[in-house]
């Protein structure tokens, strides 16, 4: 009988040997959910089979059956390019390339590059050598780590020498780490060959417009060929360079994710056209991110009162373009020095003050973790498919679609207390089945046993449009307040796979005997 080690919190003191041992049937089974708190495998399995058991997905929700093998190989462990992988794998960013060649109206470079990361935070700037020490330290301690990204502040293609040197140093020491970079595109065409030579398979290109007139409201200037350009000229050059860069990446089979910042009243409707154009030019994924605008960040938009979109406005736009380029809906607009699974931030544990001078890389935890994931993942995929098919059938009969918010710490399961959640993952149940559609960030309601009413009000407002919250535990007080707001909440499906828990809840709610899901 074994101990299940959870995928969601491999932060505890569990050695790679423990994990390996867990893989043999006679030895304790290490579960993927709580390395810091042992859970018996019997308990977990029982819950999986009898419907009472225990987080979840970014980008493409496809699996190995839905895409060519060579593409699946590139995306299967990338938390941003595969919705499914984001339950299991982590990324880290190193802020090594601070110089930028354009100005975006939503950016104040003091506070990171909001093309690919959240504005309003200040990342520790690193030299390539410091980045190497940091990555070796994280890779030894965070078994989920699969991707190293350079995502601002600044532009990785403009400040390219530092980008190149960082990737060179790190891939020598950790050859299996995936390299990922993000760019505004202006310098991209000059770098594509070097990118291909470095075996970088993933490039994020921010494209906010395909009509330079729209661009004049987003970009006050660019710096190109030793000259500062403004107005329509600046936008035209940027647009042409972005299109050229995208075509060059596609021609070299480098996967390109396009990020677009949704700016209400500026480019929101125009992003439908952007989606069409980037699809034609071969983008793999389109990530429409909401503008984050706050006067405290000192950006042009923040200071002039430009608002960001509401969650339902973002969803509406995403739904409108859902037949175009595949959408990424699990982006967390992470920090430029983010570390960990998407949605969690472990950067504080790995600031340079915590990184040893003579850092070394120990691959054992990452290797052991991958073996566990390979097993756990197959079960999750099968469960998800079954739940989705069952729900599709039920919804076409009941005609009732719902939005479900999940409290999860990762690993594809419902495994977090309502009051501990800093975000809820939102799934849509429709005649198409069940699918991840986004997340809602909230302030943590429960701090040391206490919950503030005002915080709960904020959580309820963030859950606009949601029918039910599924979590691993919830108190009576929040339950009552949610009920008054017309939102059900249940901890009956604690530790269940997310999709199976949703299907079981739907069955209970709509009392349909023929809706059955087994894990
Ligand atoms: Fe980083 Fe970006 Fe690579 Fe991911 S993030 S450089 S593609 S490894 Fe991911 Fe973070 Fe969203 Fe970016 S969740 S902000 S999309
Ligand atoms: Fe800021 Fe990034 Fe735009 Fe440069 S590309 S101005 S760093 S958001």
């Amino acid at each position: 009988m074994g101990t299940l080690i959870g995928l969601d919190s491999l932060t505890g003191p569990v050695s790679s040997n423990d994990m390996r041992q867990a893989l043999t049937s006679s030895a304790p089974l290490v579960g993927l959910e709580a390395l810091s708190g042992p859970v018996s495998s019997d308990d977990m399995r029982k819950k999986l089979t009898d419907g009472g058991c225990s987080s979840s997905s970014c980008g493409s929700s496809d699996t190995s059956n839905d895409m060519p093998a060579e593409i699946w190989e590139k995306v299967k462990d990338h938390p941003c390019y595969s919705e499914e992988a984001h339950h299991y794998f982590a990324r880290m960013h190193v802020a090594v390339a601070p110089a930028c060649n354009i100005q975006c109206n939503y950016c104040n470079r003091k506070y990171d590059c909001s093309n690919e990361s959240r504005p309003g935070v200040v990342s520790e700037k690193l030299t390539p050598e410091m980045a190497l020490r940091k990555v070796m330290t994280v890779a030894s301690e965070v078994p989920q780590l699969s991707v190293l990204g350079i995502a601002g502040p600044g532009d990785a293609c403009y400040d390219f020498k530092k980008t190149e040197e960082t990737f060179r140093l790190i891939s020598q020491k950790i050859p299996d780490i995936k390299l990922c970079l993000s760019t505004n595109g202006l310098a991209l065409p000059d770098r594509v060959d070097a990118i291909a030579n470095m075996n970088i398979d993933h490039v994020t290109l921010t494209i906010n417009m395909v009509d330079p007139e729209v661009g004049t409201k987003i970009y006050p200037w660019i710096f190109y060929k030793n000259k500062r350009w403004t107005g329509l000229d600046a936008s035209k050059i940027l647009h042409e360079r972005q299109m050229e860069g995208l075509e060059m990446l596609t021609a070299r089979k480098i996967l390109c994710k396009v990020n677009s910042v949704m700016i209400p009243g500026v480019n929101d409707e125009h992003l439908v056209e952007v989606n069409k154009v980037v699809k034609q030019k071969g983008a793999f994924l389109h990530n429409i991110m909401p503008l984050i605008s706050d006067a405290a960040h000192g950006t042009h938009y923040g200071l002039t009162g430009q608002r960001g979109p509401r969650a339902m406005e973002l969803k509406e736009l995403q739904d409108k373009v859902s037949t175009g380029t595949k959408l990424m809906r699990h982006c967390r607009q992470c920090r430029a020095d983010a570390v960990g699974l998407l949605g969690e931030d472990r950067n504080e544990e790995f600031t340079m003050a915590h990184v040893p001078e003579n850092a070394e890389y120990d691959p054992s935890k990452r290797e052991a973790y991958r073996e566990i994931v390979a097993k756990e993942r197959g079960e999750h995929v099968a469960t998800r498919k079954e739940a989705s098919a069952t729900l599709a059938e039920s919804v076409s009969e009941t005609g009732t679609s719902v939005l479900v918010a999940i409290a999860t710490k990762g690993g594809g399961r419902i495994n977090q207390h309502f009051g501990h959640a800093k975000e809820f993952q939102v799934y849509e149940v429709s005649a198409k089945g069940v699918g991840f559609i986004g997340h809602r960030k909230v302030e943590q309601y429960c701090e040391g046993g206490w919950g503030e009413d005002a915080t709960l009000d904020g959580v309820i407002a963030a859950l606009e449009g949601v029918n039910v919250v599924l979590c691993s535990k919830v108190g009576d007080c929040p339950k009552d307040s949610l009920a008054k707001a017309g939102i059900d909440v249940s901890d009956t499906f604690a530790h269940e796979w997310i999709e199976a828990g949703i299907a079981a809840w739907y069955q209970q709610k709509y009392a349909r005997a023929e809706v059955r899901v087994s894990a």
Side-chain angles (χ1 to χ4, degrees):
M1 276 338 93
T3 307
L4 260 176
I5 292 186
L7 271 184
D8 62 340
S9 60
L10 290 167
T11 54
V14 175
S15 70
S16 52
N17 273 347
D18 288 344
M19 287 196 261
R20 281 236 161 64
Q21 234 190 352
L23 292 168
T24 64
S25 54
S26 55
L29 182 67
V30 182
L32 297 177
E33 186 180 317
L35 282 184
S36 51
V39 175
S40 90
S41 60
D42 268 4
D43 288 350
M44 181 74 88
R45 294 213 176 280
K46 183 167 179 297
K47 285 174 175 179
L48 282 167
T49 50
D50 67 17
C53 73
S54 47
S55 167
S56 159
S57 73
C58 221
S60 161
S61 60
D62 295 331
T63 59
S64 52
N65 298 327
D66 309 314
M67 61 178 74
E70 72 273 15
I71 308 270
W72 176 243
E73 264 317 298
K74 288 182 183 174
V75 303
K76 72 181 171 51
D77 299 344
H78 196 306
C80 304
Y81 282 68
S82 159
E83 178 191 329
E84 197 223 337
H86 105 277
H87 294 286
Y88 304 105
F89 289 103
R91 50 68 184 115
M92 73 176 287
H93 291 161
V94 285
V96 291
C100 192
N101 49 355
I102 70 172
Q103 180 61 55
C104 306
N105 276 334
Y106 45 73
C107 177
N108 173 354
R109 276 193 284 283
K110 269 206 298 202
Y111 299 116
D112 283 359
C113 165
S114 24
N115 272 339
E116 176 71 337
S117 51
R118 186 167 71 240
V121 290
V122 185
S123 298
E124 205 174 30
K125 311 277 187 316
L126 307 178
T127 62
E129 292 72 24
M130 288 159 81
L132 172 64
R133 281 165 48 210
K134 180 167 174 165
V135 175
M136 287 197 297
T137 305
V138 172
S140 303
E141 290 303 317
V142 178
Q144 302 100 323
L145 184 70
S146 63
V147 177
L148 167 68
I150 299 182
D155 188 79
C157 285
Y158 179 59
D159 213 346
F160 196 61
K161 275 200 176 134
K162 291 177 192 151
T163 299
E164 238 179 345
E165 180 61 359
T166 304
F167 282 161
R168 188 187 67 76
L169 289 172
I170 292 168
S171 54
Q172 272 175 359
K173 290 280 182 190
I174 313 175
D176 71 329
I177 200 161
K178 286 191 191 308
L179 306 177
C180 192
L181 64 79
S182 111
T183 176
N184 61 47
L186 185 59
L188 177 62
D190 306 332
R191 308 301 186 197
V192 172
D193 287 329
I195 288 171
N197 289 338
M198 279 190 281
N199 289 325
I200 297 174
D201 285 330
H202 304 88
V203 172
T204 293
L205 173 55
T206 298
I207 299 181
N208 292 319
M209 52 85 191
V210 290
D211 173 356
E213 285 290 351
V214 176
T216 59
K217 296 176 208 149
I218 304 171
Y219 305 105
W221 58 260
I222 66 164
F223 189 75
Y224 180 62
K225 294 202 167 163
N226 296 319
K227 188 177 154 189
R228 183 179 283 235
W229 304 74
T230 58
L232 197 56
D233 290 341
S235 280
K236 276 186 182 157
I237 294 168
L238 182 61
H239 168 60
E240 282 160 15
R241 298 283 287 176
Q242 289 177 338
M243 294 301 111
E244 189 185 348
L246 175 54
E247 284 167 2
M248 290 174 79
L249 291 171
T250 304
R252 286 158 183 78
K253 296 192 167 34
I254 297 170
L255 297 184
C256 181
K257 168 167 74 63
V258 169
N259 278 4
S260 299
V261 181
M262 179 182 176
I263 312 160
V266 174
N267 71 345
D268 45 352
E269 287 171 14
H270 179 61
L271 287 179
V272 176
E273 184 60 22
V274 171
N275 183 272
K276 263 190 221 145
V277 172
V278 301
K279 182 182 185 181
Q280 279 161 10
K281 294 193 182 290
F284 177 71
L285 213 53
H286 191 191
N287 174 23
I288 301 179
M289 316 155 84
L291 171 74
I292 299 175
S293 181
D294 184 335
H297 301 158
T299 63
H300 173 77
Y301 283 151
L303 295 170
T304 54
Q306 170 65 52
R307 72 172 180 93
R310 290 177 20 246
M312 290 308 275
E313 288 174 326
L314 177 66
K315 179 179 181 308
E316 217 167 279
L317 175 62
Q318 289 175 329
D319 288 349
K320 217 186 263 179
V321 298
S322 60
T323 53
T325 307
K326 248 179 260 161
L327 282 183
M328 172 180 188
R329 294 183 189 242
H330 60 289
C331 175
R332 301 302 201 279
Q333 292 175 281
C334 27
R335 296 172 55 116
D337 58 4
V339 175
L341 294 170
L342 304 190
E344 80 173 355
D345 231 339
R346 297 184 60 186
N347 61 295
E348 288 297 322
E349 292 169 50
F350 296 103
T351 56
M352 287 313 289
H354 296 92
V355 170
E357 279 294 331
N358 301 313
E360 287 294 336
Y361 171 50
D362 170 5
S364 58
K365 282 189 183 173
R366 288 180 69 229
E367 286 168 2
Y369 178 78
R370 276 160 190 268
E371 291 174 43
I372 294 169
V373 169
K375 288 192 160 190
E376 182 94 346
R377 202 171 179 177
E379 185 177 312
H380 186 190
V381 169
T383 304
R384 185 169 70 181
K385 283 201 164 151
E386 189 183 347
S388 198
T390 310
L391 281 165
E393 200 184 309
S394 310
V395 174
S396 55
E397 287 170 21
T398 62
T400 307
S401 297
V402 290
L403 293 186
V404 185
I406 304 291
T408 176
K409 291 188 281 179
R413 294 181 187 271
I414 302 164
N415 54 10
Q416 191 170 42
H417 288 205
F418 174 83
H420 295 169
K422 291 187 176 148
E423 67 168 40
F424 291 92
Q425 297 195 0
V426 180
Y427 284 71
E428 183 167 47
V429 175
S430 69
K432 289 189 208 148
V434 57
F436 176 92
I437 59 157
H439 69 283
R440 307 277 176 91
K441 284 197 190 305
V442 296
E443 198 182 326
Q444 187 173 327
Y445 165 59
C446 178
E447 300 278 359
W450 283 97
E452 291 286 341
D453 286 350
T455 311
L456 185 56
D457 291 346
V459 175
I460 289 172
L463 293 172
E464 178 195 3
V466 163
N467 302 80
V468 60
V469 179
L470 302 183
C471 54
S472 63
K473 198 150 188 65
V474 61
D476 289 337
C477 172
K479 213 182 227 177
D480 292 346
S481 302
L482 283 157
K484 279 185 198 139
I487 303 171
D488 282 355
V489 58
S490 170
D491 53 16
T492 306
F493 309 101
H495 307 295
E496 175 63 275
W497 290 114
I498 289 174
E499 296 83 355
I502 293 173
W505 169 82
Y506 195 93
Q507 172 188 20
Q508 214 174 58
K509 174 83 179 173
Y510 298 101
R512 292 178 31 76
E514 59 270 41
V515 180
R516 273 185 302 276
V517 175
S518 61

